[in-house]
Amino acid sequence: MEALTGSRVCFPCIKPPTIKQQHHHHHLHFRRQQRLMLTKASIAVEQKTPQNKVALVRIGTRGSPLALAQAYETRSKLIAAHEELAEEGAIEIVIIKTTGDKILTQPLADIGGKGLFTKEIDEALLNNDIDIAVHSMKDVPTYLPDKIILPCNLEREDVRDAFISTTAASVADLPAGSIVGTASLRRKSQLLHRYPSLSVLDNFRGNVQTRLRKLNEGLCQATLLALAGLKRLNMTETVTSVLSIDDMLPAVAQGAIGIACLNNDDKMVNYLASLNHEETRLAIACERAFLETLDGSCRTPIAGYACRDENGDCFFRGLVASTDGKQVIETSRRGSYAFDDMVSMGKDAGKELLSRAGPGFFDPR
């Protein structure tokens, strides 16, 4: 609130007022006093408005359009579940630039691989600059920093990959030698395994909009993107076709949003508990147990997907591959849809693939 300043004006040549004028002046003065009191009251009311108070929940997020869409989705769900958060200014969205956002010229694996999109957000949480952090679960390393927990997954979006092309209706329709742009080794290896005549443009990085722009500029004939992201951005009109799970097994935790907070922040833990979608949380736990067992880096193509089958059981599929797609080793598990069983299934599937792949398979190439 800016202070109102008035300059003093002096009129030395004005005659003293008559009695009638004095009475009129007194009346004006009284009205002015009334106006001043009203103005003061409205200023006091204004100072109580939410803009001037600290938000009840500060949401930390990356600044990409997709990350912001996920943060706003989280905000809407919090408001729907908690009346006090519906007040203007009760929830603040804090944008944090991460290493992965800053360095766009190199492959992720070359600049550290894990935690590139979460490290700075974790630090903001630990420094109490934010209260909760909204992540794409597939960016979250399997080990969380000390004092940070991830008690909440929102309901999972479609896990499949979308094929987007300026020239062909599907992957099968791409002529030999066509270039597909993707920075994902998981997508590259599965693509080349089925279509060895295609070429892959590596380091095809950037947010969804950037990658679509590169495609339209003719850097490649096609690209693959997570359908979940396109749905959250209301951009499904760009999709040429959708790949089946059989053709392209998703990344671990694809389509899932995770929300983290500090382990001793009971208020946030309670807020997040009201948003958690348990079926999604269990599926993600299964897939991440698989990934953790393999200790997959960004240099190892790994895919894993857990879902509830028609009998209500958990069906898990996982694979590892060589980057050139020549070797793809797959396995699956079926068991009860319960946390401990699903974590065991993920670990067990990971151990099986480790032994089948043999030493050296996961070494940096």
Side-chain angles (χ1 to χ4, degrees), residues 33 47 257 353:
Q33 281 288 94
Q47 282 170 340
I257 293 171
L353 293 191

Side-chain angles (χ1 to χ4, degrees), residues 32-44:
R32 200 178 293 123
Q33 281 288 94
Q34 270 190 317
R35 271 210 309 274
L36 198 61
M37 282 165 71
L38 282 169
T39 311
K40 276 186 176 166
S42 68
I43 288 171

Side-chain angles (χ1 to χ4, degrees), residues 1-187:
M1 183 63 62
E2 272 182 45
L4 295 171
T5 55
S7 53
R8 191 185 257 170
V9 183
C10 192
F11 300 104
C13 308
I14 295 175
K15 291 174 187 170
T18 63
I19 299 291
K20 194 177 177 184
Q21 282 173 324
Q22 277 181 333
H23 177 74
H24 179 66
H25 176 74
H26 179 74
H27 182 66
L28 279 178
H29 178 71
F30 177 71
R31 283 189 28 206
R32 200 178 293 123
Q33 281 288 94
Q34 270 190 317
R35 271 210 309 274
L36 198 61
M37 282 165 71
L38 282 169
T39 311
K40 276 186 176 166
S42 68
I43 288 171
V45 169
E46 218 170 304
Q47 282 170 340
K48 283 181 188 161
T49 56
Q51 285 90 331
N52 295 316
K53 68 177 184 183
V54 178
L56 296 175
V57 181
R58 295 163 301 165
I59 301 175
T61 175
R62 293 167 60 198
S64 73
L66 178 56
L68 287 171
Q70 295 180 168
Y72 281 112
E73 185 180 330
T74 302
R75 182 175 153 223
S76 299
K77 286 186 155 70
L78 279 168
I79 288 170
H82 302 279
E83 228 171 81
E84 72 273 23
L85 299 181
E87 274 186 54
E88 197 187 335
I91 299 177
E92 184 189 350
I93 288 176
V94 181
I95 295 171
I96 296 160
K97 217 166 171 64
T98 68
T99 309
D101 297 312
K102 291 172 196 162
I103 306 172
L104 293 170
T105 50
Q106 293 166 270
L108 292 175
D110 291 353
I111 52 173
K114 290 183 183 180
L116 288 170
F117 294 114
T118 56
K119 185 171 163 283
E120 284 81 357
I121 299 176
D122 290 337
E123 284 166 3
L125 206 48
L126 291 167
N127 292 337
N128 200 31
D129 295 327
I130 56 172
D131 301 302
I132 63 173
V134 178
H135 298 296
S136 289
M137 274 309 293
K138 67 175 179 180
D139 293 337
V140 180
T142 48
Y143 293 98
L144 293 173
D146 199 30
K147 296 183 182 154
I148 292 178
I149 54 169
L150 216 156
C152 171
N153 288 124
L154 301 186
E155 187 171 356
R156 197 173 199 172
E157 201 18 292
D158 198 315
V159 301
R160 295 172 297 170
D161 281 306
F163 172 77
I164 302 169
S165 176
T166 49
T167 57
S170 68
V171 182
D173 293 332
L174 283 171
S178 295
I179 299 167
V180 180
T182 177
S184 159
L185 295 185
R186 171 191 65 85
R187 290 180 178 130

Side-chain angles (χ1 to χ4, degrees), residues 151-156 272-282:
C152 171
N153 288 124
L154 301 186
E155 187 171 356
R156 197 173 199 172
L272 297 187
S274 65
L275 264 55
N276 180 53
H277 187 258
E278 192 62 3
E279 184 175 324
T280 298
R281 191 181 76 89
L282 267 51

Side-chain angles (χ1 to χ4, degrees), residues 237-307:
E237 74 282 353
T238 62
V239 175
T240 308
S241 59
V242 177
L243 281 75
S244 73
I245 300 287
D246 294 329
D247 283 338
M248 183 64 66
L249 199 61
V252 161
Q254 184 152 307
I257 293 171
I259 312 176
C261 66
L262 295 177
N263 59 3
N264 61 355
D265 192 340
D266 295 342
K267 195 173 183 185
M268 294 305 142
V269 170
N270 288 334
Y271 277 148
L272 297 187
S274 65
L275 264 55
N276 180 53
H277 187 258
E278 192 62 3
E279 184 175 324
T280 298
R281 191 181 76 89
L282 267 51
I284 300 309
C286 175
E287 293 167 23
R288 280 166 64 83
F290 169 72
L291 182 64
E292 190 181 331
T293 305
L294 292 168
D295 191 30
S297 74
C298 279
R299 294 184 187 276
T300 312
I302 295 170
Y305 176 49
C307 63

Side-chain angles (χ1 to χ4, degrees), residues 305-346:
Y305 176 49
C307 63
R308 202 189 275 277
D309 69 11
E310 61 281 2
N311 302 316
D313 290 329
C314 173
F315 180 53
F316 172 78
R317 295 165 67 171
L319 70 76
V320 293
S322 58
T323 42
D324 59 10
K326 290 193 170 127
Q327 270 181 290
V328 172
I329 310 164
E330 301 180 65
T331 189
S332 64
R333 293 285 183 284
R334 205 179 290 273
S336 69
Y337 211 99
F339 185 83
D340 291 342
D341 293 344
M342 288 166 74
V343 168
S344 297
M345 283 161 59

